[in-house]
Amino acid sequence: SGISTFAHLKHVKCLSERDTPFDIGIIGAPFDTAVSYRPGARFGPRAIRAASARQTSFRGFNPRRGLNPYSAPYTIIDCGDIPITPFDNALAVQQMSEAFLELGSRPPALVHSTNPKPKLLTLGGDHSVALPALRALNKIYGGPVAVLHFDAHLDTWHPAKYPSAWPSAQSDFTHGSMFWIASNEGLIINGSSAHAGLRSRLTGWEDYEDDERQGFLRISADDIDEMGTAGIVNAILERIGTETPTYLSLDIDVLDPGLCPGTGTPEAGGWTSREVIRILRGLEGLNVVGADIVEVAPAYDGRGEQTALVASQVAYEILTSWVG
Amino acid sequence: SGISTFAHLKHVKCLSERDTPFDIGIIGAPFDTAVSYRPGARFGPRAIRAASARQTSFRGFNPRRGLNPYSAPYTIIDCGDIPITPFDNALAVQQMSEAFLELGSRPPALVHSTNPKPKLLTLGGDHSVALPALRALNKIYGGPVAVLHFDAHLDTWHPAKYPSAWPSAQSDFTHGSMFWIASNEGLIINGSSAHAGLRSRLTGWEDYEDDERQGFLRISADDIDEMGTAGIVNAILERIGTETPTYLSLDIDVLDPGLCPGTGTPEAGGWTSREVIRILRGLEGLNVVGADIVEVAPAYDGRGEQTALVASQVAYEILTSWVG
Amino acid sequence: SGISTFAHLKHVKCLSERDTPFDIGIIGAPFDTAVSYRPGARFGPRAIRAASARQTSFRGFNPRRGLNPYSAPYTIIDCGDIPITPFDNALAVQQMSEAFLELGSRPPALVHSTNPKPKLLTLGGDHSVALPALRALNKIYGGPVAVLHFDAHLDTWHPAKYPSAWPSAQSDFTHGSMFWIASNEGLIINGSSAHAGLRSRLTGWEDYEDDERQGFLRISADDIDEMGTAGIVNAILERIGTETPTYLSLDIDVLDPGLCPGTGTPEAGGWTSREVIRILRGLEGLNVVGADIVEVAPAYDGRGEQTALVASQVAYEILTSWVG
Amino acid sequence: SGISTFAHLKHVKCLSERDTPFDIGIIGAPFDTAVSYRPGARFGPRAIRAASARQTSFRGFNPRRGLNPYSAPYTIIDCGDIPITPFDNALAVQQMSEAFLELGSRPPALVHSTNPKPKLLTLGGDHSVALPALRALNKIYGGPVAVLHFDAHLDTWHPAKYPSAWPSAQSDFTHGSMFWIASNEGLIINGSSAHAGLRSRLTGWEDYEDDERQGFLRISADDIDEMGTAGIVNAILERIGTETPTYLSLDIDVLDPGLCPGTGTPEAGGWTSREVIRILRGLEGLNVVGADIVEVAPAYDGRGEQTALVASQVAYEILTSWVG
Amino acid sequence: SGISTFAHLKHVKCLSERDTPFDIGIIGAPFDTAVSYRPGARFGPRAIRAASARQTSFRGFNPRRGLNPYSAPYTIIDCGDIPITPFDNALAVQQMSEAFLELGSRPPALVHSTNPKPKLLTLGGDHSVALPALRALNKIYGGPVAVLHFDAHLDTWHPAKYPSAWPSAQSDFTHGSMFWIASNEGLIINGSSAHAGLRSRLTGWEDYEDDERQGFLRISADDIDEMGTAGIVNAILERIGTETPTYLSLDIDVLDPGLCPGTGTPEAGGWTSREVIRILRGLEGLNVVGADIVEVAPAYDGRGEQTALVASQVAYEILTSWVG
Amino acid sequence: SGISTFAHLKHVKCLSERDTPFDIGIIGAPFDTAVSYRPGARFGPRAIRAASARQTSFRGFNPRRGLNPYSAPYTIIDCGDIPITPFDNALAVQQMSEAFLELGSRPPALVHSTNPKPKLLTLGGDHSVALPALRALNKIYGGPVAVLHFDAHLDTWHPAKYPSAWPSAQSDFTHGSMFWIASNEGLIINGSSAHAGLRSRLTGWEDYEDDERQGFLRISADDIDEMGTAGIVNAILERIGTETPTYLSLDIDVLDPGLCPGTGTPEAGGWTSREVIRILRGLEGLNVVGADIVEVAPAYDGRGEQTALVASQVAYEILTSWVG
Ligand SMILES: [Mn+2]
Ligand SMILES: [Mn+2]
Ligand SMILES: [Mn+2]
Ligand SMILES: [Mn+2]
Ligand SMILES: [Mn+2]
Ligand SMILES: [Mn+2]
Ligand SMILES: [Mn+2]
Ligand SMILES: [Mn+2]
Ligand SMILES: [Mn+2]
Ligand SMILES: [Mn+2]
Ligand SMILES: [Mn+2]
Ligand SMILES: [Mn+2]
């Protein structure tokens, strides 16, 4: 069939068709009205699915890990997209929160799974989709989770750091402050979380201080030059451990904009896909209970759809870890 | 100077620098979070300004009309952009409404002008920016105005025509329903307004019935094949007359998407720029008190910036009419 | 759901899932290895589906005709794509022929339909996909059909007109000679078929003579300047009548390449989408039993996906005629 | 062979290899340092040659005229490009003038030709290349020629109309004033020349007055709406007649920038390629002794190379007239 | 001259004009109908030639090696393209095989050359062109050669690994299985060949086992992180030695798709051009008897033609080695 | 305001409005008629300004250095562009020289500044703009300065190295020879200057010999593989010291064209933005008295404006050093 699902996976409209249990659900969050600069990530799910077209169960073996996520006993399906309003962010967050919660609370397909719940891999959408995801995980797992956050940006900014002459409660929710909100709501384990790939401008050192209060370790993009990918991996593993339930949130702008131009708030000096893949492969031991790949804005991508391609590869690496 | 103002006009941050009177103000409304499909019109003002770079007062004579808008006695300035939140549409509307009202209420630069108030030419932004513009005009002119609306779409849709499982008041405000809201608020003269260039799909004939209740004449894109540009002009002039204060609102998608691909909700079968320019030149007699050019989304434009170029030409034709 | 089917229609893998009857099936033919110049039409089905995303049953009413094809009693589904080898054209033709025959031979969904068989709307793919379609129709309808062919090119060229030092039987099958093969096989009613939009270079007048022997009327692109769209419509209706079972084959290159650049063998001087839509709307009376939209090569389209957009509009107009 | 010559014509480096006589020479003028806005036309010759790849002698028959220019008795070759400095316009003009003169002064290939001299079809380059071409024709034909000028712009501007704080003699030579210089030098027959497709802004009516003093008839882009292509043709034929030696100079910006975005100084509201082709085909009776196609700037063209495609079609129509 | 040959080299249509002996021939293979995903590499030769425009004999000195390949005593010419049918792969392979064999069997230009035969550098085209090249070399050198294969993919896949419901002999020949066919035909020295840059998904470890049976050493893209470019060079030199006649086959997708997006089956995580150039420069000692650069698909490249630029640089480095 | 100045800095037309003192002036040099290949850098200033839109004083803190250049006591303004003729390079150089001299000779804004003169950061334009900049600095500082030159190319070529059949004095001034002219004029301290990132083809070793006579140290792009960024930094610091008044000239083509495709003479194998940023941050100790960022040609950039983004980051790093 020529219909674009992620990696040609079976498509079930999970939200409305509730009969098909699954272990891993790919779900699109076509939402981009919480961005501060270039919109367009609402088409991220479509672009990532199209870029995954060469992924198939037939030739899906990952030699870096020695297994094929698509032929594992786990049931992986493409749940389609969450219907999300582009007009009212408060409503949008609610729509996403309920969708994530409902899907994530179902029993998994595999009875003897070590996973008590199905795992969701969200294709963004802007980064703010991580807030409803964390709200859902908090309820599903009965407490906060660690966040492993790949990004050029902190995204833990106090909402007031986006200055506005005319503040509004709804304006607090942005793709740069959703982790601050999440921390404030107690959704993130303070002390077990980490940023990786940071390199943006700041308001000042106080951004880092605030970030620390929220309990994040910071690994900057430049750190890789001294630590190598292995050093990054070790720092993360040491920070999070292999037991802590962890939400893996990857903003595609952690990659260099020369390689991944299709994003909204690009920052020069990022990581390469070779580096990011290596790091992800080193993190198999983490207990990742949910994940997202966000900020793919295809209108800014190249004709070769290089950004979406990296996003689909990241999804594949995450799936590899989940079934391995 | 290499700084991009519209047509190299003098730049004054009108909203904060209130000392410079003007007769015509170009003002950007970088807002696009009321769109139903492709966002990106927040960068419309930047693109239109860049595409106007070959317009100068030195060689600004319009031979179709026999005058140079930039060397007229009127003071035309580029007011920059209205600061608008991209996170909260309710707040955004308020920000725009107040900006339009404040700017439009000032005394004009030219004392003996026949215009009691300065005129604003808004560079959108998505089409919803017309609502705050109409709210401001209603206050400035003390009553409703006619609307001359160039568009492939009606934009008079009842908000409920955008179906949503979870309605919200804020979701009513979209780039397809702002004229419905305006009509409902009594901002539009029922019976003196007109659409030109219509060709979109509908929910059914009831869309037209609702549109008629709001008092619009409908000229479809196909009508030009029988009526010619002169017929279109006559129908509009007959509808609106030369006295009625009129808001001219031009959605760039009235042009064919093959010629103007840089827009969010393109519809095949549109008008050419030659046709649109001729129609605009035939409408000099209208009493246009405010205008906008909206829905230019440069991320979808060609490398030759052809869409923004047409938009800048439309602006030039409107300015020509205003000073002539 | 965010999965791209045509106009958000229900997706059924018709070829393997045979339980769902349908009246109209949209079927992709991702095949482009019979092209003489730019390949890439294998991604035509994906692009046309993506460009149809703003078509929904909710707002699918066609005001040019006064009905909504997606809310008609007919069952319209998206059958996905035919699996077609890109390596062996002989095999590919066989794969397509059998798929078209099998799908087209089923009983329709609507018992009291005037259509004895479901109708297929093929999204190409290069133009050669019309040959297997005609072979299937010949069997389904027990005889030849008329061909209404919108194209800049004749596509009735004798295979020997593509010169090759080393001829081969398989090389005879190209996107420029499939109608010659079809005529030779007796699949086309001689005397009832027509080309519309012709404007390519030729080998000489002998091309036209050969074309006439195959029984085509020729309407050139330039004819519209004298005849108008109404004249084109009349000429076609007079040629084909309203009874003759007709295959409508629309090569997107019938449109001007300035408007529809995303195609493989562009020819300057084509029709506009406004003209093509008008012509199609005038042809409602034809007895179209199958149709295709071919030669959309998205790698050459603009960022605004303007070519695919026209293709999706053409599909919509054909569907409108079919349910009307 | 895969080497890009125009229409796969034989390539001879005419300037250095003087043994091959020819009747018609295609010659590139990769020069663009006389432009006032976007440069890039130096790559026009490469782009036009690439876009001509589907033109061959085998299938080169022009049905609009009934002949194949590439199989005529005339020898048509691709002379390659003139070597032109991009650093010093005074030198560049000299290089082009001498090349045009030397090539155009040779005896033609066909002994009994009615053409005393070979004809050159120049692929620009910016429009200023017409000045050296006219200087050469003046010497070759022993007097001034008529100019038939397709363009959105007059190009007869007095150099002082490009204002500069610091004038310089070399700055007088631009792509907007080369016809003024040519008129001043007596290269153009006053009273027999014509512009077609005009629509740019002016400094004022004085531009037209100056243009009239130079002896041009002005046909604006909008005139086609009343006159049709036939009216345009008649006006031109009446102006120039069929005897006057004429230089045909076609600036690609005469076409609408929506259709031909790949140019440097685009003006909305232009002609379509269908219109331009029709006009050119109506002008077969002119005595065209030299021609150029200029201002194709491929960096601004679409992926479908639509602008270069039109340019290559225009070249084909001119060649058709020349051999017919 | 403005005609695009590789590096402005002299153009001879070698296949038909047999009088010009040469030591090194650049030859285009515009063939892409053996690809499994995006076609378009048929325009690779044109793109690579255009991107080589800044290579000249005048400034052709390679400081990494200390010589200028274009001023060496060797005769290097651009042979143009092999005429290849796009309709019948069996015929196409035959056309290429005979062309490679005929050209490669001629005496070289330089009498006292250490090369008994001229060397061909093929500009692809998809990767399958390596099969006819190897068939020709087998005949010219009287036995198998080693293959040094830069690629993200193995390309030694058993044809059955591309599953098809309907197998056909012709479908066995693809850009992913041509080395399997070559190995099976005894064209490749088992034990002396190597892949470099591997990183694709597999069907399973059996792909590697099959690859080993064919005698390849595998160097993955990730290996460079531990071994460095020097380690890669050493591993290759150790594997192949400096005597073994070797075919160097470089699939442009060995580079990262962020840097080289213009290719058909991109894989994230590739090498940079700095790395590839360094490796190539370290391999001067190899006895390379033929080479190709394949899978450049310009329709997916950036506006800056960055992919074709790398390909032209790779060609330059290979030429440097050949004349050094 | 939506008017694009660099980093939203205050705009003053410094050349004509002389009342506003400044410490650092950003000044555009929209000049590109000294390029040897692709023009288009005249739009570099516009593109870099647009790409700087996310730089603001509010969030302008550079964590790599620990300060915010936009909130320092220094007055940084955007001076707009120098008016430069595109028609006459001799005049253009004069226009730039006088502008640089006049602006650079003014007293700075900050009375107690250690800088006796304001510093100019030029946004090119092609690289030749460095010559007028150096001429101005020579007068302002009363002697030659060191040049720290990031580039793939030497740009110290003797003008005769660009061969021309017809030499002219004006042709000597190019973007490849401006440092040769500067050296000849005694503007560059012999022995204290350095190139970084070299990797182009040469005419031969004599290019290096000539370069040495001009007193440059050469660091090639490949050197970073052995030396690392720290090694590069040390070599530069050792060469130039921390006292020598230095002109920092950064050609964007020092970066890899895969990452920064928007430039005119790209060379494969360049540095990444991560590497370049690290090197710049290591060079804070230099006494940089003027700087440029040149050769950004946005027509060749990607949709994600990745090249201009790196240029704006480089500007930010230079500003950081200047205020630190
Ligand atoms: Mn983020
Ligand atoms: Mn981010
Ligand atoms: Mn609208
Ligand atoms: Mn609209
Ligand atoms: Mn066709
Ligand atoms: Mn066709
Ligand atoms: Mn012109
Ligand atoms: Mn022009
Ligand atoms: Mn390969
Ligand atoms: Mn490969
Ligand atoms: Mn340079
Ligand atoms: Mn350089």
Short mmCIF file of all heavy atoms in Angstrom, two decimals, chain D residues 43-69:
data_model
loop_
_atom_site.label_atom_id
_atom_site.label_comp_id
_atom_site.label_asym_id
_atom_site.label_seq_id
_atom_site.Cartn_x
_atom_site.Cartn_y
_atom_site.Cartn_z
N PHE D 43 24.62 32.73 -15.64
CA PHE D 43 24.36 31.30 -15.79
C PHE D 43 23.14 31.03 -16.68
O PHE D 43 22.70 29.90 -16.81
CB PHE D 43 24.20 30.64 -14.42
CG PHE D 43 25.45 30.70 -13.60
CD1 PHE D 43 25.51 31.43 -12.42
CD2 PHE D 43 26.59 30.04 -14.03
CE1 PHE D 43 26.67 31.50 -11.68
CE2 PHE D 43 27.77 30.11 -13.28
CZ PHE D 43 27.82 30.84 -12.10
N GLY D 44 22.62 32.08 -17.30
CA GLY D 44 21.52 31.91 -18.23
C GLY D 44 21.85 30.96 -19.38
O GLY D 44 21.06 30.05 -19.68
N PRO D 45 22.98 31.15 -20.06
CA PRO D 45 23.27 30.25 -21.18
C PRO D 45 23.30 28.78 -20.76
O PRO D 45 22.74 27.92 -21.44
CB PRO D 45 24.65 30.72 -21.64
CG PRO D 45 24.72 32.18 -21.25
CD PRO D 45 23.96 32.26 -19.95
N ARG D 46 23.91 28.49 -19.61
CA ARG D 46 23.95 27.10 -19.15
C ARG D 46 22.53 26.57 -18.91
O ARG D 46 22.19 25.46 -19.31
CB ARG D 46 24.77 27.00 -17.86
CG ARG D 46 24.92 25.57 -17.37
CD ARG D 46 25.35 25.48 -15.91
NE ARG D 46 26.74 25.87 -15.73
CZ ARG D 46 27.34 25.99 -14.54
NH1 ARG D 46 26.64 25.74 -13.42
NH2 ARG D 46 28.58 26.35 -14.45
N ALA D 47 21.71 27.39 -18.27
CA ALA D 47 20.36 26.95 -17.93
C ALA D 47 19.50 26.76 -19.18
O ALA D 47 18.73 25.80 -19.28
CB ALA D 47 19.71 27.96 -17.00
N ILE D 48 19.62 27.67 -20.12
CA ILE D 48 18.80 27.55 -21.34
C ILE D 48 19.24 26.33 -22.13
O ILE D 48 18.41 25.59 -22.66
CB ILE D 48 18.89 28.84 -22.19
CG1 ILE D 48 18.38 30.04 -21.38
CG2 ILE D 48 18.10 28.69 -23.48
CD1 ILE D 48 18.63 31.40 -22.03
N ARG D 49 20.54 26.11 -22.21
CA ARG D 49 20.99 24.91 -22.91
C ARG D 49 20.45 23.65 -22.23
O ARG D 49 19.97 22.73 -22.89
CB ARG D 49 22.53 24.86 -22.94
CG ARG D 49 23.14 25.81 -23.96
CD ARG D 49 24.66 25.58 -24.08
NE ARG D 49 25.23 26.49 -25.07
CZ ARG D 49 25.95 27.57 -24.78
NH1 ARG D 49 26.20 27.88 -23.52
NH2 ARG D 49 26.43 28.33 -25.74
N ALA D 50 20.53 23.59 -20.91
CA ALA D 50 20.03 22.40 -20.21
C ALA D 50 18.53 22.23 -20.46
O ALA D 50 18.04 21.11 -20.68
CB ALA D 50 20.32 22.52 -18.71
N ALA D 51 17.81 23.34 -20.46
CA ALA D 51 16.36 23.25 -20.64
C ALA D 51 15.97 22.91 -22.07
O ALA D 51 14.82 22.55 -22.34
CB ALA D 51 15.70 24.57 -20.23
N SER D 52 16.91 23.00 -22.98
CA SER D 52 16.63 22.66 -24.39
C SER D 52 16.89 21.19 -24.67
O SER D 52 16.82 20.76 -25.83
CB SER D 52 17.50 23.52 -25.32
OG SER D 52 18.82 23.01 -25.36
N ALA D 53 17.18 20.43 -23.63
CA ALA D 53 17.66 19.06 -23.86
C ALA D 53 16.64 18.19 -24.57
O ALA D 53 17.01 17.21 -25.22
CB ALA D 53 18.06 18.41 -22.53
N ARG D 54 15.37 18.53 -24.48
CA ARG D 54 14.37 17.71 -25.17
C ARG D 54 14.13 18.19 -26.60
O ARG D 54 13.29 17.63 -27.29
CB ARG D 54 13.08 17.65 -24.35
CG ARG D 54 13.30 16.85 -23.06
CD ARG D 54 12.07 16.66 -22.22
NE ARG D 54 10.92 16.30 -23.01
CZ ARG D 54 9.93 17.15 -23.34
NH1 ARG D 54 9.95 18.41 -22.91
NH2 ARG D 54 8.93 16.76 -24.07
N GLN D 55 14.86 19.18 -27.04
CA GLN D 55 14.79 19.58 -28.45
C GLN D 55 15.84 18.79 -29.22
O GLN D 55 17.02 18.82 -28.87
CB GLN D 55 15.06 21.07 -28.62
CG GLN D 55 13.99 21.97 -27.99
CD GLN D 55 14.19 23.43 -28.31
OE1 GLN D 55 14.74 23.78 -29.35
NE2 GLN D 55 13.74 24.30 -27.42
N THR D 56 15.41 18.12 -30.25
CA THR D 56 16.35 17.36 -31.08
C THR D 56 15.94 17.51 -32.53
O THR D 56 14.81 17.86 -32.84
CB THR D 56 16.29 15.85 -30.76
OG1 THR D 56 14.97 15.39 -31.06
CG2 THR D 56 16.59 15.58 -29.30
N SER D 57 16.87 17.26 -33.40
CA SER D 57 16.52 17.31 -34.83
C SER D 57 15.54 16.19 -35.15
O SER D 57 14.69 16.34 -36.02
CB SER D 57 17.79 17.17 -35.68
OG SER D 57 18.41 15.94 -35.41
N PHE D 58 15.63 15.11 -34.43
CA PHE D 58 14.75 13.98 -34.70
C PHE D 58 13.28 14.33 -34.49
O PHE D 58 12.42 13.97 -35.28
CB PHE D 58 15.14 12.81 -33.79
CG PHE D 58 14.26 11.63 -33.98
CD1 PHE D 58 14.47 10.79 -35.06
CD2 PHE D 58 13.21 11.37 -33.11
CE1 PHE D 58 13.63 9.70 -35.27
CE2 PHE D 58 12.38 10.28 -33.32
CZ PHE D 58 12.59 9.44 -34.41
N ARG D 59 12.99 14.98 -33.38
CA ARG D 59 11.61 15.38 -33.11
C ARG D 59 11.55 16.89 -32.94
O ARG D 59 11.18 17.40 -31.90
CB ARG D 59 11.08 14.65 -31.88
CG ARG D 59 9.58 14.85 -31.70
CD ARG D 59 8.98 13.99 -30.60
NE ARG D 59 8.87 12.60 -31.02
CZ ARG D 59 8.38 11.64 -30.24
NH1 ARG D 59 8.00 11.91 -29.02
NH2 ARG D 59 8.31 10.40 -30.69
N GLY D 60 11.95 17.59 -33.99
CA GLY D 60 12.05 19.04 -33.90
C GLY D 60 11.04 19.80 -34.75
O GLY D 60 11.14 21.01 -34.89
N PHE D 61 10.06 19.09 -35.28
CA PHE D 61 9.07 19.69 -36.17
C PHE D 61 8.13 20.59 -35.38
O PHE D 61 7.54 20.19 -34.38
CB PHE D 61 8.30 18.56 -36.84
CG PHE D 61 7.32 19.00 -37.89
CD1 PHE D 61 7.72 19.20 -39.22
CD2 PHE D 61 5.97 19.18 -37.58
CE1 PHE D 61 6.80 19.57 -40.20
CE2 PHE D 61 5.06 19.55 -38.56
CZ PHE D 61 5.48 19.75 -39.87
N ASN D 62 7.98 21.81 -35.86
CA ASN D 62 7.13 22.79 -35.18
C ASN D 62 5.76 22.83 -35.85
O ASN D 62 5.60 23.44 -36.91
CB ASN D 62 7.80 24.17 -35.26
CG ASN D 62 7.11 25.20 -34.40
OD1 ASN D 62 5.94 25.06 -34.06
ND2 ASN D 62 7.85 26.25 -34.03
N PRO D 63 4.76 22.21 -35.25
CA PRO D 63 3.47 22.13 -35.93
C PRO D 63 2.78 23.49 -36.05
O PRO D 63 1.90 23.64 -36.89
CB PRO D 63 2.66 21.17 -35.05
CG PRO D 63 3.30 21.22 -33.72
CD PRO D 63 4.75 21.52 -33.96
N ARG D 64 3.15 24.42 -35.23
CA ARG D 64 2.58 25.76 -35.39
C ARG D 64 3.03 26.39 -36.70
O ARG D 64 2.45 27.34 -37.19
CB ARG D 64 2.98 26.65 -34.21
CG ARG D 64 2.33 26.25 -32.87
CD ARG D 64 2.80 27.18 -31.76
NE ARG D 64 2.09 26.98 -30.50
CZ ARG D 64 2.60 26.41 -29.42
NH1 ARG D 64 3.83 25.94 -29.43
NH2 ARG D 64 1.88 26.29 -28.31
N ARG D 65 4.12 25.88 -37.29
CA ARG D 65 4.65 26.48 -38.51
C ARG D 65 4.81 25.47 -39.64
O ARG D 65 4.91 25.85 -40.79
CB ARG D 65 6.02 27.12 -38.17
CG ARG D 65 6.79 27.74 -39.32
CD ARG D 65 6.04 28.90 -39.95
NE ARG D 65 6.79 29.43 -41.08
CZ ARG D 65 6.76 28.93 -42.32
NH1 ARG D 65 6.00 27.89 -42.58
NH2 ARG D 65 7.49 29.46 -43.28
N GLY D 66 4.86 24.20 -39.27
CA GLY D 66 4.97 23.19 -40.30
C GLY D 66 6.38 22.95 -40.81
O GLY D 66 6.58 22.57 -41.95
N LEU D 67 7.34 23.13 -39.97
CA LEU D 67 8.71 22.80 -40.37
C LEU D 67 9.58 22.51 -39.16
O LEU D 67 9.22 22.84 -38.04
CB LEU D 67 9.32 23.93 -41.21
CG LEU D 67 9.50 25.31 -40.58
CD1 LEU D 67 10.73 25.37 -39.68
CD2 LEU D 67 9.63 26.33 -41.70
N ASN D 68 10.70 21.87 -39.44
CA ASN D 68 11.65 21.49 -38.40
C ASN D 68 12.91 22.32 -38.58
O ASN D 68 13.67 22.10 -39.53
CB ASN D 68 11.96 20.00 -38.53
CG ASN D 68 12.96 19.53 -37.49
OD1 ASN D 68 13.67 20.33 -36.88
ND2 ASN D 68 13.01 18.23 -37.29
N PRO D 69 13.15 23.28 -37.69
CA PRO D 69 14.32 24.14 -37.92
C PRO D 69 15.63 23.37 -37.92
O PRO D 69 16.60 23.83 -38.53
CB PRO D 69 14.25 25.14 -36.75
CG PRO D 69 13.41 24.48 -35.71
CD PRO D 69 12.42 23.63 -36.47
#
